[in-house]
Every structure is written in C-alpha cells, then in structure tokens.
Amino acid sequence: MSTAPVTVPDVTSPATHRAVRYAKFTIGYNVIEGIVAISAGSVAGAVSLIGFGIDSGIEVAAAVVVLIRLLAEIKGGEPDEAKERRALKFIAVTFFALAAYVTVEGIRDLIGGEKPDTSFAGIVLTGVSIVIMPWLARVKRKAGQEMNSRLVVADAAETKLCAWLSVTTFAGLLAFALFGWTWLDPVAGFLIAAFAIMEGKEAWEGELVCDDGCN
C-alpha cells in the first residue's frame, strides 16, 4: 500500500512572509468586523448579523493557530501539533455552538414574529467584506501554492467560506431593508448555521494542521 508523499513547505520563499502578513491582516480585520457586527446586530436585533460577528471572532482564533504555526516554521522550530489540534477542536465546538444559537434564535423569531430593525451599519460592513474577503482568499491561496503549504491553502479555503458568508448576510440585510420581509433575518441565520457546521467540521478534522499528508 503506497503512502502520499510528504509535502514540505518552503519557508525560505518570499511567499511565506506574505502569508504571515495575510494571517495578521485576517486577525486584525476580523477583530474589527466582529466588534462592529455584534454591536450593530445587538442594536438592530438582527440574529444573522450577530451570528456573522461571532463567526468573525471564531475566525480570529483559527487565524491565530495558523499564524503561530507559520512563525514556528520560519524560525525552524517544531510546531506542537497536539496543542494545535486541541485548539482546533475547541474552535470546532464553538462553531457548532454558533450554529445551534442562530438556529434556535431564528426559529424563535419565526414563531414569535420578531421584527429586527434595518441595520445600515451591517449592510455597509458586509458589503465591504464582500470585496475584501474574496481578495484575501485569492492572495492566501497564491502564497500557499508558491510556498507549497497545505496549511496556507486550507486557510485560504476558510477565508473563501467567510466570503460566501458575507454575501448571504449582506443579501439578507439588504433585502430586509428594501422589502421588510421579517423572515429574511432568521433564514440568513440558518445559512450562517450551515456555514458554521462546515467550518466546524473542517476544524474538528484538523485540516489546518494537516500539512504533511496526514490521514
């Protein structure tokens, strides 16, 4: 039975330092995004926007794991994969908790007929993210391919997922502002729950630390 060849990232490549910068940008941007989204969502009573903000916070935790791994590889040290896997499993549980939260709140709002307020701050925020996140996913993937790192390529896939999350949240907020359909917010929350389950599954399986053809 043959085994997959070991993939060794080229940490001397200029792309590695770009990957580090992208990871730091991801952390900084998502911190701001999460604070604004949760604040605006709380004011408007928008479940989807609150869920979007919580997701941003979880993404920060995942990006920190990636950044620590990259810095360890650049310095020539051996990353502690056991600790990374435990951290990612915690992140996965948090994703699943987020999915449960927005699902329960969405059902409650649908049954109770709760009506959120229009959040122009949320519309602007998610609109900006629609521009930034696809670009960030693209440059991360390019850097990961250049340095031969499955870690960075997997992180790029996570960012791409965030881009789609921005699209669904933006569409829900904008459509509610235009048409006033109260069911749009919980439905957008259900979509966030689906994305959270997908991201949680990837984190649980440890894809962000499987950089060497692990099973």
Side-chain angles (χ1 to χ4, degrees), residues 22 47 121 158:
Y22 297 148
V47 172
E158 290 284 323

Side-chain angles (χ1 to χ4, degrees), residues 4 33 62 90 108 135 151 154 170 174 185 191:
E33 181 183 69
F90 172 77
R108 183 182 65 82
W135 164 80
L151 169 71
F170 173 80
L174 183 61
D185 182 56
L191 290 174

Side-chain angles (χ1 to χ4, degrees), residues 126-198:
T126 51
V128 171
S129 292
I130 288 175
V131 176
I132 291 179
M133 286 301 170
W135 164 80
L136 187 58
R138 186 169 60 254
V139 295
K140 278 184 178 181
R141 181 175 177 80
K142 182 179 179 181
Q145 291 175 333
E146 288 180 11
M147 62 181 288
N148 198 31
S149 172
R150 290 184 63 218
L151 169 71
V152 178
V153 172
D155 187 38
E158 290 284 323
T159 303
K160 186 175 181 180
L161 204 56
C162 289
W164 282 110
L165 187 60
S166 301
V167 171
T168 59
T169 308
F170 173 80
L173 292 172
L174 183 61
F176 174 75
L178 293 175
F179 306 113
W181 295 333
T182 57
W183 53 267
L184 281 173
D185 182 56
V187 168
F190 298 151
L191 290 174
I192 289 176
F195 278 116
I197 291 172
M198 291 170 61

